[in-house]
Amino acid sequence: MIGRVRGWRRGWQERTKLQRIDLYTRVTLCSLPWVFLLSWGLLPLGATLDHGPVAMALGAAFFAVNAVQCVLSNRNVAPAFAHYRGAEPFPPRRLRLPAALLVVLTGLLVALAAVGGIDDPGLSLLVLDLPLAFTVPYVLLVPVRTYLLHCAAFGVVVLGLLAAVGAPGGLLFGAAVSLLVVVLLVLVSTRPSAWSLTVMWQAEEARDMQARLAVAEERLRFGRDMHDVLGRNLAVIALKSELAVELAQRGNAAAVDQMVEVQRIARASQQEVRDVVRGYREADLPTELLGAKGVLEAAGITCTVEGADGPAGIGAPPAVQAALGWVVREAATNVLRHGDPRVCVIRLTTTAGAVVLEVENDGAGPGAGQGDGSGVAGGGSGAAGSGGSGLAGLRERLAALGGSLEAGPAGDGLFRVTATVPLTAPGGRPSPGTLSTEDR
């Protein structure tokens, strides 16, 4: 639990930091048009005061329209970022008014040049500020090549209009340089920022997805453990209850003993469920072998356990014993559920650096329901058509230790489950279904 809280806190801190970076980037890009408007867009207009009322009116109109353009640019930055990230498409109608204002600004600039209402250096500065507010969001909406082509076409139009009203060659050259500077400035300041934010948000989304997958995996593990814990006990409870009913109908006092045993198993199941919920439960091979033998014999099935006291049993590593304990539990559960076996043999051996567990019963005859080996120990909880998860769960547990599981008919009416687990678990990992000390 402590580990999960720490992980959640780290994720929250990383997300907060990313949100701050995102906000800083957006504020910077939104401030850029205003900085240009109040510097290179405003200072040159002071010269219009010395060139008569027409120049003053044109200069004031240019500043006012440019301010409106900056407001629209700020409003379009957020949806432009969303479009660049692929979150949602940018509505084309939002560009209609900014494009119209850009045309108006160009006309006002050309009119200022035509009436001589501003000096040549000041006019070059106004050209520098002319497309800035429009291009900040626009550069995020189209590919770089398209952006450069459109800016080049716009530059040709502006220079052509200035030349048509008699602008000298030096002014045209200065205007061309200004347009080139502002186009490249917007490109290198906006696109890399948007790309960096996109990568960071994608990484954050990947972390969120990883967390959701971890939760889903934990839910599957918990469901599998609940199935393994309750499956056999419920089968035994049902069997003993039926036996107690038959004994009670015959007036046999042994019915009371059977119900006492049902009560004991039910209480034990409650404790096991609590242990699963707390995350501390682990299967124990010797305990599971004794439990399987007792349960099967109580059901009238002759059960023999071989090799439990040898190296393959008590000598195996704890992780291997735990994994094999789950196999014994699941196999015993399904011997009770499927078919009508009379004999069951549980065999533990060591071969080639691995422990081999075999659970064999004679309930694989015609009509026994043990099918083609799609289940475990008699059809398993994953028997064909049953939709269970016993076989898949066991294979996942054994695969985590480098082991394998085979189940199917063995001839002569026998059904055999064979689990093989190396004595050395890969990477020293704990057996599945356990929690680390930090998580506890």
Side-chain angles (χ1 to χ4, degrees):
M1 179 61 68
I2 295 176
R4 293 191 183 114
V5 171
R6 289 176 179 173
W8 176 84
R9 184 180 301 171
R10 285 195 297 267
W12 178 80
Q13 291 174 347
E14 290 294 332
R15 190 172 186 87
T16 302
K17 186 185 300 183
L18 180 56
Q19 289 174 344
R20 290 176 180 174
I21 296 174
D22 189 305
L23 178 61
Y24 171 79
T25 303
R26 292 172 187 266
V27 169
T28 301
L29 293 179
C30 289
S31 302
L32 188 62
W34 293 102
V35 171
F36 273 71
L37 173 65
L38 299 176
S39 56
W40 289 291
L42 179 61
L43 294 178
L45 294 177
T48 60
L49 299 176
D50 301 329
H51 293 80
V54 175
M56 291 175 57
L58 291 174
F62 184 90
F63 181 82
V65 174
N66 204 0
V68 175
Q69 184 79 297
C70 291
V71 172
L72 295 176
S73 176
N74 291 170
R75 292 184 59 189
N76 288 333
V77 164
F81 262 102
H83 178 89
Y84 183 83
R85 290 176 53 194
E88 56 181 310
F90 185 89
R93 65 180 182 276
R94 297 181 69 109
L95 283 180
R96 294 173 185 171
L97 182 56
L101 293 181
L102 181 61
V103 173
V104 172
L105 284 174
T106 303
L108 292 173
L109 181 66
V110 173
L112 276 173
V115 300
I118 192 170
D119 299 332
D120 290 351
L123 191 61
S124 297
L125 292 177
L126 289 183
V127 171
L128 182 67
D129 186 53
L130 177 63
L132 180 66
F134 178 84
T135 54
V136 167
Y138 185 71
V139 72
L140 299 175
L141 304 177
V142 295
V144 174
R145 181 179 179 182
T146 303
Y147 167 77
L148 293 176
L149 290 176
H150 289 177
C151 289
F154 175 75
V156 171
V157 171
V158 171
L159 295 178
L161 292 175
L162 291 176
V165 297
L171 176 60
L172 295 178
F173 177 77
V177 172
S178 297
L179 286 173
L180 179 62
V181 169
V182 71
V183 167
L184 295 180
L185 175 65
V186 171
L187 178 62
V188 300
S189 62
T190 305
R191 294 281 295 203
S193 299
W195 178 83
S196 300
L197 283 178
T198 300
V199 171
M200 289 188 289
W201 278 115
Q202 288 176 348
E204 180 64 24
E205 291 170 358
R207 282 193 292 267
D208 290 343
M209 180 61 68
Q210 184 179 12
R212 288 193 291 269
L213 290 176
V215 171
E217 182 179 356
E218 181 64 14
R219 287 175 177 171
L220 290 174
R221 184 200 66 80
F222 182 79
R224 185 172 62 240
D225 287 356
M226 291 295 294
H227 168 271
D228 294 341
V229 166
L230 294 179
R232 184 190 68 180
N233 290 353
L234 291 177
V236 175
I237 289 174
L239 179 66
K240 287 187 172 294
S241 299
E242 293 175 0
L243 179 59
V245 170
E246 293 181 2
L247 292 175
Q249 290 175 346
R250 298 174 185 175
N252 194 327
V256 177
D257 297 333
Q258 295 297 327
M259 291 309 299
V260 170
E261 183 67 11
V262 168
Q263 185 182 42
R264 184 193 65 79
I265 296 174
R267 289 176 176 173
S269 299
Q270 287 180 334
Q271 184 59 44
E272 288 180 334
V273 170
R274 294 190 191 101
D275 292 339
V276 169
V277 172
R278 292 169 185 163
Y280 295 145
R281 185 182 184 280
E282 188 54 83
D284 178 69
L285 181 57
T287 302
E288 296 298 336
L289 289 172
L290 290 175
K293 180 177 175 66
V295 167
L296 293 175
E297 289 182 345
I301 301 172
T302 302
C303 181
T304 303
V305 179
E306 302 176 0
D309 299 329
I314 59 177
V320 175
Q321 290 193 41
L324 294 178
W326 288 109
V327 177
V328 172
R329 172 180 286 270
E330 181 69 20
T333 299
N334 290 287
V335 169
L336 293 171
R337 285 180 177 175
H338 304 277
D340 187 20
R342 292 169 298 174
V343 178
C344 180
V345 178
I346 303 175
R347 188 180 301 110
L348 277 167
T349 57
T350 303
T351 175
V355 178
V356 179
L357 170 68
E358 293 181 340
V359 181
E360 186 178 273
N361 69 88
D362 60 351
Q370 302 193 43
D372 58 357
S374 59
V376 178
S381 59
S386 67
S389 60
L391 180 60
L394 290 177
R395 280 179 172 161
E396 289 178 8
R397 293 180 186 278
L398 298 181
L401 299 176
S404 61
L405 179 71
E406 297 179 359
D412 296 330
L414 299 178
F415 190 91
R416 182 182 301 149
V417 176
T418 304
T420 306
V421 184
L423 287 172
T424 55
R429 292 178 295 182
S431 60
T434 61
L435 294 177
S436 65
T437 303
E438 181 183 13
D439 287 338
R440 296 180 184 178

